[in-house]
Amino acid sequence: MLAVAAGWRHDGGVSPPPGDSASSADSPATALPAQFCAATRRWFTESFPAPTPAQAGAWESILTGDHTLVVAPTGSGKTLAAFLSAIDRLVGHPP
C-alpha cells in the first residue's frame, strides 16, 4: 500500500510539493494521467481547471495498481481521484 499525503509518501519517496504536479502553463488535459480514456479527459477538462496535488499523487499510485491511502485536507479532491479512476476503468477499459 502507498499512502500519499502532501510532501510525504509511506514508501519512503517524497511527493512533489503543491503546484509541481500541474504547472500553471500546463493545460488540464496534459496534467491528467495519460492512461485516462478520452471521455474521462474531456469531462475533467470541461469541469475543472487542473488536478489538485492530492489527485495527481493519488492517480500516480492508483493507476499503477497499488492500494492507495490518500491523506489530505477536506476539499482537496480525494474522493474524485478514487472514483474517477474507477469510472475511467469501466468506461475506457470495459471488462
Side-chain angles (χ1 to χ4, degrees), residues 19-55:
D20 278 8
S21 62
S23 75
S24 57
D26 288 340
S27 74
T30 59
L32 289 172
Q35 297 94 322
F36 281 166
C37 71
T40 300
R41 296 172 72 79
R42 184 174 48 255
W43 176 83
F44 190 91
T45 58
E46 291 172 356
S47 302
F48 301 96
T52 66
Q55 291 168 337

Side-chain angles (χ1 to χ4, degrees), residues 2-95:
L2 176 66
V4 180
W8 176 83
R9 288 171 40 151
H10 178 67
D11 67 351
V14 176
S15 296
D20 278 8
S21 62
S23 75
S24 57
D26 288 340
S27 74
T30 59
L32 289 172
Q35 297 94 322
F36 281 166
C37 71
T40 300
R41 296 172 72 79
R42 184 174 48 255
W43 176 83
F44 190 91
T45 58
E46 291 172 356
S47 302
F48 301 96
T52 66
Q55 291 168 337
W59 290 329
E60 179 183 337
S61 176
I62 291 168
L63 294 174
T64 63
D66 289 340
H67 294 276
T68 305
L69 172 66
V70 182
V71 181
T74 299
S76 61
K78 299 179 299 287
T79 303
L80 178 60
F83 281 108
L84 191 60
S85 299
I87 291 168
D88 177 72
R89 188 167 181 182
L90 291 172
V91 171
H93 313 281

